[in-house]
Amino acid sequence: MGLKRLKSWLDRVLEIGTVVATAGIILMVTIQAFARLCLPAAPAWTEEGARMCFIFSVAFAAGLAVRDRAFVKVDTLQRVLPPRYAQILGLIIHLAVLLLMITVSVFAIDFIKVGRGQRSPCLQIPMGAVHAALLLLSVMISLY
């Protein structure tokens, strides 16, 4: 598989993951709103499910946001600097983000190990799987 094809496949997986996780948030919140309005009590699992879907939607979308430069950027300093210095500052920022994400990736592995023996209270999902979202986020940001 060529590098271009692998990147295309990875983009597609992240896009699908983002859509599925976001749809999960919408579904969980809709169920909870309906239950609060029409039923005597709302199921507790909807809050937990929505929280987990949110975590994964951010994890899947973070790399795509970096790819498309669709993140919040404060560029006031870069605008007042001469173009050459602005480029150097941009490079330093990208390297700092890369270093941070590599560091987070290393510690995320330990975080996953901590969650292996735990389960979420309502949905009984292994927390190691939920903690893996941090590894996914940091690795995807590093790659993009």
Side-chain angles (χ1 to χ4, degrees), residues 25 29 31 40 43 45 50-52 59 62 65 71 74 86 88 93 96 106 119 126 129 132 136:
I25 295 170
V29 171
I31 291 170
W45 61 266
R51 190 178 312 115
M52 289 181 188
F71 46 84
V74 179
I88 292 170
I93 290 169
V106 170
R119 292 192 164 276
L136 173 66

Side-chain angles (χ1 to χ4, degrees), residues 21-41:
T22 303
I25 295 170
I26 293 167
L27 179 66
M28 301 285 178
V29 171
T30 302
I31 291 170
Q32 187 169 51
F34 173 78
R36 286 186 180 201
L37 290 172
C38 302
L39 300 176

Side-chain angles (χ1 to χ4, degrees), residues 27-136:
L27 179 66
M28 301 285 178
V29 171
T30 302
I31 291 170
Q32 187 169 51
F34 173 78
R36 286 186 180 201
L37 290 172
C38 302
L39 300 176
W45 61 266
T46 56
E47 288 182 34
E48 192 173 285
R51 190 178 312 115
M52 289 181 188
C53 287
F54 176 74
I55 289 168
F56 275 99
S57 69
V58 171
F60 281 115
L64 298 173
V66 170
R67 177 197 70 189
D68 296 340
R69 297 181 183 255
F71 46 84
V72 175
K73 180 179 173 184
V74 179
D75 59 351
T76 307
L77 181 58
Q78 283 184 314
R79 287 182 184 207
V80 297
L81 289 174
R84 178 77 178 137
Y85 292 122
Q87 279 184 328
I88 292 170
L89 179 61
L91 179 63
I92 291 169
I93 290 169
H94 286 299
L95 289 174
V97 169
L98 180 61
L99 182 62
L100 175 65
M101 290 299 109
I102 290 171
T103 303
V104 169
S105 296
V106 170
F107 285 99
I109 294 168
D110 291 333
F111 193 46
I112 293 168
K113 289 176 185 176
V114 168
R116 278 192 312 202
Q118 303 171 353
R119 292 192 164 276
S120 64
C122 295
L123 295 174
Q124 293 297 304
I125 295 172
M127 291 307 293
V130 178
H131 294 170
L134 183 60
L135 181 62
L136 173 66

